[in-house]
Amino acid sequence: MGKSFVATNLAAALSRTPGIETTLVDLDLRRGSIATNFGLTVEGGMRDYLEGAVPALGDVAVHPEGERLVILPTDNAPARSAELLSSSRMDAVIAAMRAQPTHSLFLCDLPPVFANDDATIVTSKLDAFIMVVEEGRTTRKQIQDALHVLDQAPCAGVVLNRFDGGLLSDSYGYGYGAGYSDYYNK
Ligand SMILES: Nc1ncnc2c1ncn2[C@@H]1O[C@H](COP(=O)(O)OP(=O)(O)OP(=O)(O)O)[C@@H](O)[C@H]1O
Ligand SMILES: [Mg+2]
């Protein structure tokens, strides 16, 4: 679908916006992929923190070289993820995020909504969620069901991933007309 791909790129882009402190949190506790996207290996990530093996949340934080972004990664290992995400340690993570100044933004990557309860559990604790749908793959029913399940937080937006119709594809009715075609073709 591209959830982690979108989260990675969105976080990287936002982190370059002056005045916003962006943190990308990998909460796909069984199949973390954010660290790999940045070429990092995880030693003591979110799963370890939530299991109590890492004492301080700050010890999980990594700064990819050349980026202003902070990452709280996780690895790829079996985990009692729903239990960990419902724990008081997880509530402490949310409280720590909320205690940051308002120009701090936390983006959390999650497993698929229907894989288990994890996305529902975490979303209920967040201010909003962004849904990633894949062109030609995600069905209308899946979107409707996901919105129904994730009803504890507002949907801040939907990303249509892997759309290859193109901005000027008149056959889809999204064309901008001849004048704008000239502009975009330059
Ligand atoms: N728009 C895109 N353009 C190019 N590659 C993409 C795009 N979206 C996703 N991919 C690639 O597809 C693969 C799967 O994407 P990704 O890991 O983001 O999916 P996911 O929804 O997080 O999957 P999972 O449910 O397993 O966590 C990755 O290798 C990613 O780089
Ligand atoms: Mg993913």
Side-chain angles (χ1 to χ4, degrees):
M1 296 267 193
K3 296 177 294 300
S4 304
F5 177 87
V6 169
T8 298
N9 285 293
L10 185 57
L14 285 169
S15 72
R16 287 170 207 142
T17 307
I20 300 180
E21 302 297 329
T22 310
T23 304
L24 179 56
V25 190
D26 198 340
L27 291 178
D28 191 345
L29 294 184
R30 298 185 202 180
R31 295 184 311 139
S33 60
I34 296 297
T36 312
N37 286 352
F38 286 92
L40 303 167
T41 46
V42 185
E43 289 163 33
M46 284 304 295
R47 180 185 58 76
D48 303 283
Y49 173 77
L50 292 172
E51 287 176 347
V54 171
L57 189 57
D59 295 339
V60 175
V62 286
H63 303 247
E65 193 148 337
E67 301 275 353
R68 276 186 63 233
L69 185 63
V70 175
I71 297 177
L72 301 179
T74 202
D75 60 6
N76 239 288
R80 298 186 317 276
S81 53
E83 200 176 304
L84 294 176
L85 294 169
S86 309
S87 66
S88 54
R89 262 178 110 74
M90 183 64 206
D91 287 341
V93 171
I94 300 288
M97 291 178 185
R98 292 196 184 283
Q100 295 303 307
T102 49
H103 63 267
S104 301
L105 186 77
F106 292 86
L107 274 175
C108 301
D109 189 31
L110 292 168
V113 180
F114 301 116
N116 48 39
D117 291 337
D118 293 7
T120 315
I121 292 167
V122 176
T123 305
S124 70
K125 301 171 194 282
L126 302 179
D127 290 340
F129 65 89
I130 296 172
M131 185 179 293
V132 178
V133 305
E134 185 172 329
E135 156 81 7
R137 188 163 165 214
T138 313
T139 65
R140 178 188 293 257
K141 173 114 177 52
Q142 283 173 330
I143 295 170
Q144 286 169 338
D145 289 352
L147 287 171
H148 185 68
V149 167
L150 303 176
D151 63 348
Q152 302 291 307
C155 177
V158 178
V159 174
L160 179 58
N161 194 28
R162 293 190 184 274
F163 175 66
D164 66 359
L167 194 59
L168 306 173
S169 169
D170 288 328
S171 61
Y172 286 90
Y174 292 117
Y176 279 76
Y180 288 120
S181 296
D182 288 349
Y183 171 78
Y184 283 112
N185 286 333
K186 271 177 192 154

